[in-house]
Each structure stands twice: as C-alpha cells, then as structure tokens.
Amino acid sequence: TFAVRAFRCKGGEEVWDMGDGSEPRRTQSSPDPHPHAPDGYSSFEYSYGDPGDYIVRVRRVSDDGIPAYTHLHVTVEERPEE
C-alpha cells in the first residue's frame, strides 16, 4: 500500500510514477491543512510484476502552480517457492 499527503496544497492531484514503466496513477489527498488529520492521506495498493529495485516518484502541482515532489526506493524480492 502506498500513501501520500500534500500539506497546505490547494487543488491539484498527486501523479505517481511507480518506476516500472506502468501508466501513471492519480490520487488526491485531502485539502485539510491539519497535518494529523486521519483521513488526509490518499492511498492505493500496487503490485510489481517483477523483483527488482524501483524508484517511486510522486508529483503534485497546486492551483497556484507550485510543485511538490517526493520519492521512495522500493525493493521487491522474489517470492520463495512453496
């Protein structure tokens, strides 16, 4: 599960690049300015098709045109044989 929150960012949406060549995902976190609002995060589940290292990039541009970026390194290991 991936989750993100854009603080004090009015308008816009998060655009996710999962780092594996798949189509970008779009989410929209809550505009609630309180940083601890329990419902402030947008989230979704994602499964990688292959083991490897991936850089997930998230970008959001506010209605004022101000961009915000974050990224995360994800390591996907091979599933053990059962």
Side-chain angles (χ1 to χ4, degrees), residues 27-40:
T27 60
Q28 188 167 22
S29 58
S30 170
D32 187 338
H34 191 275
H36 300 292
D39 63 348

Side-chain angles (χ1 to χ4, degrees), residues 11-79:
E13 63 185 3
E14 295 87 26
V15 179
W16 298 73
D17 174 352
M18 302 309 292
D20 62 353
S22 62
E23 290 293 316
R25 297 254 184 157
R26 297 178 185 278
T27 60
Q28 188 167 22
S29 58
S30 170
D32 187 338
H34 191 275
H36 300 292
D39 63 348
Y41 291 85
S42 64
S43 65
F44 65 93
E45 291 189 19
Y46 187 81
S47 295
Y48 285 94
D50 296 308
D53 290 294
Y54 301 93
I55 301 296
V56 177
R57 293 177 174 87
V58 184
R59 179 176 188 261
R60 181 172 176 149
V61 178
S62 70
D63 286 344
D64 300 333
I66 300 169
Y69 302 90
T70 192
H71 63 276
L72 173 69
H73 174 246
V74 175
T75 299
V76 178
E77 296 181 353
E78 288 190 42
R79 286 187 164 194

Side-chain angles (χ1 to χ4, degrees), residues 1-12:
T1 301
F2 291 87
V4 71
R5 170 75 190 269
F7 298 104
R8 299 180 196 95
C9 189
K10 295 181 181 179

